[in-house]
Structure formats: C-alpha cells, structure tokens
C-alpha cells in the first residue's frame, strides 16, 4: 500500500503543442491564430474579408502566415461556405491593351474582397469561349465576367442554367434579365464619322478587322452616319478576319494605294491599325492629314505620341472592369446592383491626324 507520493510513478511530461499540427505536417489556421494571439475566425477574415480586419492586424496575420508557410485551404473553405472565392473572367486577348486595362480594373475590385480570377482567353472565338465556360464551371466559380455577347447556343444553355451571376462587359444588353457594363460601340463609330464629315471629308473609308461584334457595331455607326449624309459607298469598306496589329495597318495603306482608292480619310476600327497606317504614310511620303486623314478607336497610350498625333475615341476600359466587378460583387452578396445596364460613355479625342 502506498503511504506517500514518493513511490508513485511520475506523471507523463506535458508536450508542447507543435506549430505544425495538421496530419499533412502543414501549419493550420489555428496555428497562425495561436502565434498571433487572435481567434481563428479573425485569421479567416484576414484572408477572405480583409476589409473587416484592422490593417495593422491583418498585415501581422499575413506576415505570420507567410513565415509559417500557411496557405488557406480553398477547397475546405468552399465546402464550408458554399463559395469558391473565384470568379471566371473571359477576355478575347491578353496582348490587346484594351483588355489588359479591363483586367486591371477587375483585379483592383476583386482582390480586396479575397476573390481570385480564373482568366481565360477566347481569341475572339465563340467556340473557344464555349470550351472555357464548360471547363471553368467545373471549378464552381461564384460568378462570371464575360466579354461581349457573341455566345454559341451551347454556351447560352450553360449560362441560362447557371446559378452563379454573370455580368457582360464592353457591350450593352437591352435584355432586362441580363447585366452589362460598357459603352455604345455604334455611337463611337458615329462620333468619329460625324467628326470627319464636319472636317470636310467626303470619301471616308473604313477598315474592319477581326469582325467581332464590337468592330461590326462601329462599322454600323460609320455606315449610318454616311447614309444620313448621302455619302455611303460600300466599295470604301474593307473587312478582314485578321487580328488587329500595327503591321496590318501598314499593309492596308499599301493595299489602298494599290487599289487606287479615292479615299480622303480612313477610319480604322482600332488604334494599332491606325498607328501602323501613320508609320507607313511617313515611309511612303503621304502627308497626313494633307493628302489622307487617318482616325482610330480606343485611344491606346501611344496614340498621343505618334507623328502626327492620332484622332481617336477613348473607351473607359479600366472603369468597365471596375464597375463590372463591383456589379458582380453585389450580386454574389445577394444585393441588387443600382443598375443592370451601365453605360459608361465614350470620349472623342480630336488630334492632328484629321
């Protein structure tokens, strides 16, 4: 019989909790919370809803998580919250500055809310867009941002059956059940053509490439303005399926000259085409605007620095990205956005080339 504690076995030593406690050996949210001295919920908010955490504390949590090698488990988070914290974003091109700036606007709105973009490039192909939609829906994105409305029948079926909200960018939809943020491409074509008419040009050509819906809408605006003036001539319209580029713009000047075109002005559907045309006119000794006026569309950064500077129409692509993402965030939060069809307008910029 034991009469005192001297003969009893010593209790096992208390083990210190290891910072890497998951079965995989990785640091967990609880490890980060313990190290910082906050709750796991606060750590979760620092990653998912950073606007709800004091900036200094959020930065301390992020720094601690980084030092411990902690990365949030998005799969587990999605199961727990029924949210994937991702947004599918489909654009036609990653080399076109228009869409790069749109992506910048989207990023600046989504990132502070903890969302990540799944970016897909359609290469102006409705069929490729269909494939991307099918692929990205497997990741269960919380929302979709799509460029334009040129969808295949199958893609429309996918979108109509989708429970996640979708916002269209660049083009404006009249359908009250759809959501869109953009500007009137047709009005942009009309603005430029009206300017050229006011400057006294009467034989105005139009160069359309890629032939996507936005380019064709600009062509409609050009055609309507000239029809109203009684000056539309189909032979002064060039339609090419090629991708827009500076090189193609230069080649089009050579083609115009070879075909003995009587144009006194040419409206190019994109600025890079118009820039190439300006460069080629310099090489060929064609005075702009003395012999031939040249106009573009989109107001790319270099257009203010060409010689002569390029007359163009500025599109609000960064603002389109910001506002489309903001509209989507409202929808994903269960809120009705202030407007379902947001027209951000266009800015006409008259420069030396006309």
């Amino acid at each position: 019989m034991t009469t005192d504690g001297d003969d009893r076995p010593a209790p096992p030593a208390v083990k210190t909790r290891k910072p890497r406690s998951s079965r995989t050996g990785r640091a967990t949210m609880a490890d980060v919370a313990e190290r910082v001295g906050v709750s796991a919920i606060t750590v979760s908010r620092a990653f998912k809803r950073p606007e709800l955490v004091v900036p200094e504390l959020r930065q301390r949590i992020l720094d601690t998580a980084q030092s411990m090698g902690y990365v949030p488990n998005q799969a587990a988070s999605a199961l727990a919250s029924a949210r994937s914290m991702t947004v599918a974003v489909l654009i036609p091109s990653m080399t076109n500055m228009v869409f790069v700036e749109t992506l910048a606007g989207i990023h600046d709105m989504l990132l502070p809310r903890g969302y990540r973009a799944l970016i897909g490039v359609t290469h102006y192909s409705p069929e490729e867009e269909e494939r991307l939609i099918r692929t990205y829906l497997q990741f269960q994105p919380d929302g979709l941002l799509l460029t334009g409305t040129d969808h295949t029948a199958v893609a429309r079926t996918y979108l109509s059956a989708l429970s996640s909200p979708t916002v269209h960018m660049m083009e404006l939809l009249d359908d009250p059940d759809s959501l869109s943020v953009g500007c009137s491409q047709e009005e942009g074509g009309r603005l430029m053509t009206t300017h050229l008419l006011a400057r006294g040009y009467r034989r105005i050509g139009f160069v359309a490439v890629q032939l996507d819906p936005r380019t064709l809408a600009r062509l409609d605006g050009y055609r309507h303005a000239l029809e109203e003036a009684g000056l539309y001539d189909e032979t002064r319209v060039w339609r090419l399926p090629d991708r827009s580029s500076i090189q193609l713009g230069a080649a089009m000047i050579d083609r115009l000259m070879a075909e003995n075109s009587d144009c006194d002005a040419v409206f190019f559907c994109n600025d890079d085409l118009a820039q190439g045309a300006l460069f080629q006119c310099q090489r060929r000794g064609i005075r702009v605007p003395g012999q031939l006026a040249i106009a573009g569309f989109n107001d790319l950064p270099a257009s203010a620095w060409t010689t002569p500077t390029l007359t163009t129409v500025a599109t609000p692509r960064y603002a389109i990205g910001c506002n489309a993402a903001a509209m989507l965030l409202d929808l994903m939060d269960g809120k009705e956005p202030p407007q379902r069809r947001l027209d951000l307008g266009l800015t006409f910029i008259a420069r030396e080339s006309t």
Side-chain angles (χ1 to χ4, degrees), residues 37-147:
V38 297
S39 68
I41 292 176
T42 301
V43 175
S44 176
R45 285 175 179 162
F47 285 96
K48 298 178 185 176
R49 298 294 302 273
E51 73 278 9
L52 299 181
V53 181
V54 175
E56 293 78 9
L57 176 58
R58 176 175 181 264
Q59 191 59 52
R60 189 150 55 92
I61 291 171
L62 296 180
D63 290 344
T64 301
Q66 184 177 39
S67 70
M68 297 177 70
Y70 169 72
V71 177
N73 187 333
Q74 293 296 342
S77 176
L79 288 172
S81 66
R83 287 195 176 192
S84 66
M85 300 307 293
T86 60
V87 170
V89 182
L90 302 189
I91 58 172
S93 169
M94 279 292 287
T95 59
N96 188 328
M97 183 60 66
V98 171
F99 302 111
V100 173
E101 292 183 14
T102 303
L103 280 177
I106 293 169
H107 176 273
D108 288 349
M109 294 300 295
L110 293 183
L111 188 61
R113 288 288 304 276
Y115 284 93
R116 295 296 184 269
L118 299 172
I119 301 171
V121 181
T122 67
H123 302 290
Y124 297 92
S125 166
E127 291 73 25
E128 179 62 18
E129 181 193 62
E130 175 191 315
R131 286 189 286 271
L132 287 169
I133 290 174
R134 182 171 59 247
T135 298
Y136 284 169
L137 289 185
Q138 298 176 39
F139 294 90
Q140 299 182 324
D142 296 321
L144 281 80
L145 292 170
L146 305 180
T147 303

Side-chain angles (χ1 to χ4, degrees), residues 172-185:
L172 298 170
L173 301 178
D174 293 322
D175 179 3
D177 294 327
S178 299
L179 297 103
S180 58
V181 178
C183 52
S184 173
Q185 304 287 328

Side-chain angles (χ1 to χ4, degrees), residues 42 89-90 144 170 176 192 209 270 288 292 312:
T42 301
V89 182
L90 302 189
L144 281 80
M170 297 296 175
M192 180 59 74
V209 304
N270 286 315
V288 178
L292 181 68
T312 186

Side-chain angles (χ1 to χ4, degrees), residues 40-310:
I41 292 176
T42 301
V43 175
S44 176
R45 285 175 179 162
F47 285 96
K48 298 178 185 176
R49 298 294 302 273
E51 73 278 9
L52 299 181
V53 181
V54 175
E56 293 78 9
L57 176 58
R58 176 175 181 264
Q59 191 59 52
R60 189 150 55 92
I61 291 171
L62 296 180
D63 290 344
T64 301
Q66 184 177 39
S67 70
M68 297 177 70
Y70 169 72
V71 177
N73 187 333
Q74 293 296 342
S77 176
L79 288 172
S81 66
R83 287 195 176 192
S84 66
M85 300 307 293
T86 60
V87 170
V89 182
L90 302 189
I91 58 172
S93 169
M94 279 292 287
T95 59
N96 188 328
M97 183 60 66
V98 171
F99 302 111
V100 173
E101 292 183 14
T102 303
L103 280 177
I106 293 169
H107 176 273
D108 288 349
M109 294 300 295
L110 293 183
L111 188 61
R113 288 288 304 276
Y115 284 93
R116 295 296 184 269
L118 299 172
I119 301 171
V121 181
T122 67
H123 302 290
Y124 297 92
S125 166
E127 291 73 25
E128 179 62 18
E129 181 193 62
E130 175 191 315
R131 286 189 286 271
L132 287 169
I133 290 174
R134 182 171 59 247
T135 298
Y136 284 169
L137 289 185
Q138 298 176 39
F139 294 90
Q140 299 182 324
D142 296 321
L144 281 80
L145 292 170
L146 305 180
T147 303
T149 59
D150 190 19
H151 311 308
T152 66
V154 173
R156 291 183 188 280
T157 300
Y158 289 148
L159 296 175
S160 64
L162 188 63
S163 59
S164 302
T166 300
V167 176
H168 291 82
M169 304 181 292
M170 297 296 175
E171 296 171 50
L172 298 170
L173 301 178
D174 293 322
D175 179 3
D177 294 327
S178 299
L179 297 103
S180 58
V181 178
C183 52
S184 173
Q185 304 287 328
E186 181 174 342
E187 179 59 23
R190 181 185 289 273
L191 271 174
M192 180 59 74
T193 309
T194 300
H195 163 78
L196 293 171
L197 288 169
R199 295 287 292 169
Y201 301 105
R202 292 295 179 265
R203 302 183 303 280
I204 304 169
F206 188 90
V207 176
V209 304
Q210 291 170 173
L211 307 183
D212 59 89
R214 290 168 298 284
T215 292
L216 297 179
R218 293 167 206 164
L219 174 56
D220 285 342
Y222 154 88
R223 176 170 53 81
H224 292 154
L226 287 181
E227 285 176 343
E228 290 173 5
L231 294 172
Y232 180 70
D233 185 343
E234 177 66 24
T235 65
R236 298 193 183 108
V237 177
W238 287 266
R239 297 177 178 85
L240 296 87
D242 310 59
R243 299 240 181 116
S244 184
S245 68
I246 290 176
Q247 181 180 1
L248 181 57
M252 285 308 300
I253 288 298
D254 290 337
R255 179 172 172 179
L256 265 62
M257 296 300 104
E259 294 178 1
N260 298 315
S261 170
D262 66 346
C263 292
D264 55 7
V266 182
F267 176 11
F268 289 88
C269 70
N270 286 315
D271 269 14
D272 52 357
L273 290 167
Q275 291 169 8
L278 286 175
F279 298 149
Q280 190 67 353
C281 283
Q282 290 176 338
R283 291 171 63 90
R284 297 189 59 150
I286 300 170
R287 290 180 291 107
V288 178
Q291 292 174 257
L292 181 68
I294 291 177
F297 198 95
N298 274 323
D299 191 31
L300 298 181
S303 295
W305 301 98
T306 55
T307 304
T309 54
L310 181 65

